[in-house]
Amino acid sequence: MTVQPHLPRRALAPLLTGSLALALTQPHSQAQASPASPLHPANYLARGTVAQRSVAAMPVLPNSAQMANYLKNLHSTYVTDQFKGRLPLSGNVFAYNIPIHTVNSKDPHQNYEWFYSFDHRVKYQSDEYKKLMGAETPVRIPLPKNFQIPGGGDRSIAVYDLGTGLWRSFFMVQKTTEGEHQERWHYSSGGYIKDARALAGSGHSLQLTGGSSSVVGMASELTQIGIDEVLAGRINHAVSFTLPNARSGYSWPARQGDGNLTDPLAPYEGQWFRINPAVNLDSLGLRPLTLMIAKALQKYGGYGSDRNIWCMAANYEYDTSQTEATQGNSRWYTQVQAKYGQAPENLHDFPFQHLQFAPKDWKGGL
């Protein structure tokens, strides 16, 4: 991701709900509902991968308390004055989370769209990559009609094909409006996992097989917080977060990063952290959604998958059942907030004081 000096959508989206968030999203026409989400607890696609490794025996850096306090206050470096000290943790509902479109290329009625790219990040990829993703020669990609693209600047999507098991993810998807490729979709970079059906129980790192669309080079969409798992009362995997910024470099399972901080207290993108397992989270008086996220971190951990030059935000599943014109009726509000009485963006009671950080490139727990 290339960070711009002024990012109004990125800056405001974590603060807004309902009609205000709607006003900041990209207009896109009526969406076609997708089959069951790969984040649904009944068919979670990344079960038995790094997303479900145990953090019970995770080694802990001795300066974890200082790192946690640094991370809690990092937003104050970037937000405007009225939000300093007030936005330690929010949530990505409409912008900078990534829709997962579940499709089936074996279905004779499946819709397809043409994808291509002239970007240098695609030009030098393998022949297999170009055949599966599209490059100078366009490739047909199974997608719902009028598929959702999120608001904000990244315009990223993921596509999971039930028919082949192929997982594709694309960054900066834009419709071409003129010329030879009119009505086709250009993307700037992308990546894939050739058969995501084989992820289950594999201990897979979730690193993409070829190319990269996310900052960390992973299928990090599979560590977004799912709507149905929240409604069921438990998050069943590690959680990815967008950080205000990150330390220069990256930590496994990330393959790359875009942080530019040099302070040794700043976490790397990909660096695992957890809530101290000795803490009784039920005794802290946390609100329901905050408590659910904290318990997921205590069992599976979490990591930074991107930066936003604003505030730390939990990455939520993008509700593809809603159109851009009706996002005020997103299930995050009509179902999750209605059930728990907590706006999904409002996670300011998160217990940063109990965060613990693993050493860089920790590979245990699998």
Side-chain angles (χ1 to χ4, degrees):
M1 168 188 82
T2 300
V3 176
Q4 302 297 328
H6 300 289
L7 299 170
R9 287 195 178 98
R10 179 175 292 243
L12 294 175
L15 308 177
L16 304 176
T17 59
S19 60
L20 287 177
L22 162 64
L24 295 179
T25 54
Q26 300 286 339
H28 205 63
S29 54
Q30 181 67 31
Q32 181 185 59
S34 295
S37 165
L39 295 172
H40 193 287
N43 54 279
Y44 180 50
L45 190 61
R47 62 190 182 277
T49 69
V50 71
Q52 288 191 330
R53 64 171 166 172
S54 171
V55 295
M58 186 187 90
V60 174
L61 290 174
N63 64 343
S64 284
Q66 291 89 345
M67 291 182 68
N69 188 61
Y70 179 94
L71 185 57
K72 177 181 179 180
N73 293 294
L74 186 56
H75 71 283
S76 292
T77 303
Y78 303 104
V79 299
T80 50
D81 287 344
Q82 66 267 38
F83 299 120
K84 291 182 185 296
R86 297 176 54 202
L87 281 176
L89 183 63
S90 186
N92 292 324
V93 178
F94 296 139
Y96 299 96
N97 50 349
I98 302 176
I100 302 173
H101 297 290
T102 306
V103 297
N104 189 347
S105 59
K106 304 296 186 185
D107 181 349
H109 302 292
Q110 175 64 55
N111 182 69
Y112 285 80
E113 301 287 343
W114 289 98
F115 273 57
Y116 73 102
S117 181
F118 294 124
D119 194 281
H120 70 279
R121 287 165 286 190
V122 172
K123 182 177 180 180
Y124 299 105
Q125 294 291 341
S126 67
D127 289 342
E128 178 181 81
Y129 175 100
K130 293 178 180 181
K131 179 180 178 180
L132 296 175
M133 303 288 292
E136 297 92 341
T137 301
V139 168
R140 293 170 72 237
I141 304 294
L143 271 165
K145 292 181 180 178
N146 302 310
F147 61 93
Q148 289 277 0
I149 299 174
D154 287 359
R155 297 184 63 84
S156 296
I157 64 169
V159 186
Y160 176 53
D161 186 351
L162 295 170
T164 63
L166 183 61
W167 174 278
R168 297 176 173 100
S169 51
F170 299 92
F171 168 73
M172 197 56 66
V173 176
Q174 305 272 6
K175 194 166 193 175
T176 305
T177 58
E178 59 184 17
E180 177 187 358
H181 293 293
Q182 186 174 358
E183 299 300 310
R184 294 172 176 173
W185 298 89
H186 185 274
Y187 70 98
S188 295
S189 64
Y192 64 92
I193 295 175
K194 198 166 184 181
D195 189 356
R197 295 171 299 191
L199 288 176
S202 66
H204 197 283
S205 65
L206 294 184
Q207 292 178 354
L208 296 172
T209 304
S212 179
S213 61
S214 66
V215 165
V216 290
M218 300 166 59
S220 53
E221 300 91 343
L222 291 172
T223 52
Q224 296 179 139
I225 299 171
I227 298 172
D228 291 294
E229 62 181 349
V230 168
L231 291 171
R234 184 174 65 185
I235 299 166
N236 300 293
H237 52 79
V239 176
S240 64
F241 293 83
T242 302
L243 304 178
N245 204 346
R247 190 170 174 180
S248 179
Y250 57 92
S251 174
W252 191 92
R255 289 199 293 116
Q256 57 191 36
D258 67 350
N260 61 9
L261 297 176
T262 58
D263 195 311
L265 294 179
Y268 295 100
E269 287 163 321
Q271 185 172 9
W272 228 250
F273 50 82
R274 72 179 184 186
I275 294 284
N276 186 342
V279 173
N280 179 2
L281 290 169
D282 291 314
S283 71
L284 300 183
L286 304 177
R287 291 171 300 165
L289 187 52
T290 309
L291 178 61
M292 210 179 302
I293 294 171
K295 285 186 174 183
L297 294 190
Q298 195 172 53
K299 185 173 183 178
Y300 302 111
Y303 67 100
S305 61
D306 199 351
R307 63 173 185 163
N308 63 11
I309 313 301
W310 185 251
C311 76
M312 185 172 174
N315 294 322
Y316 292 128
E317 177 180 13
Y318 189 100
D319 182 7
T320 58
S321 70
Q322 300 299 308
T323 68
E324 295 287 355
T326 61
Q327 283 186 332
N329 293 322
S330 165
R331 294 175 65 204
W332 283 109
Y333 302 118
T334 62
Q335 296 180 22
V336 174
Q337 185 171 344
K339 180 173 182 175
Y340 295 113
Q342 180 179 354
E345 299 92 344
N346 191 344
L347 302 171
H348 308 333
D349 56 333
F350 182 79
F352 279 88
Q353 68 273 24
H354 298 302
L355 279 182
Q356 297 178 322
F357 292 82
K360 183 178 183 292
D361 296 325
W362 176 62
K363 297 183 178 180
L366 289 169

